[in-house]
Amino acid sequence: MKERAARDPAFAKAMLDEAATAFLNGEPNVARLILRDLVNASVGFEELAAETNRPSKSLHRMLSQSGNPSMDNLAAIFGAVRKRLGVAIEVHAVEAA
C-alpha cells in the first residue's frame, strides 16, 4: 500500500479520505493505521515532525496500533498530509443505512 500511495496521487487521496471517514465513523484504530501508511508514503515522519512541531518518535507512537493522539495532534497530522497532497477535506453527512 505504501509504495502505491507514493506513486499514485489518486490512491493517496483515497487513503486520506478513508482515514478521515474511519475516524469520523468511530474507527480510530483503522484511521491511525491508514494515516501511518500514508505518512510513510507521502510526508515522512521526520518532515511531519518539523511541520507539526512534535517529536518524530511521538508521532510514530501516536499512529501505532495502540496510539492515542489528542485531537490537536490528529488535526495537525491530517493537516500536514492534506497540505502535502494538495487537497481539502470536505465532510458530508448522509442518512444511515
Side-chain angles (χ1 to χ4, degrees):
M1 221 182 350
K2 176 183 166 185
E3 293 81 19
R4 182 169 178 200
R7 65 175 158 57
D8 184 351
F11 184 72
K13 290 173 189 174
M15 286 180 69
L16 180 61
D17 182 67
E18 189 63 30
T21 299
F23 176 73
L24 292 172
N25 283 322
E27 299 178 272
N29 294 337
V30 172
R32 280 195 311 273
L33 297 178
I34 294 170
L35 272 177
R36 180 187 62 200
D37 289 342
L38 189 52
V39 166
N40 276 318
S42 60
V43 181
F45 276 93
E46 293 304 318
E47 192 171 326
L48 180 64
E51 287 189 33
T52 61
N53 295 316
R54 288 146 177 94
S56 176
K57 287 186 179 197
S58 292
L59 292 166
H60 276 283
R61 280 192 300 273
M62 287 178 212
L63 296 180
S64 71
Q65 181 83 26
S66 59
N68 191 17
S70 69
M71 289 295 287
D72 289 345
N73 287 330
L74 198 54
I77 294 166
F78 269 109
V81 173
R82 184 186 57 73
K83 180 179 169 186
R84 172 54 60 101
L85 297 178
V87 298
I89 296 176
E90 194 172 283
V91 178
H92 300 276
V94 296
E95 293 292 325

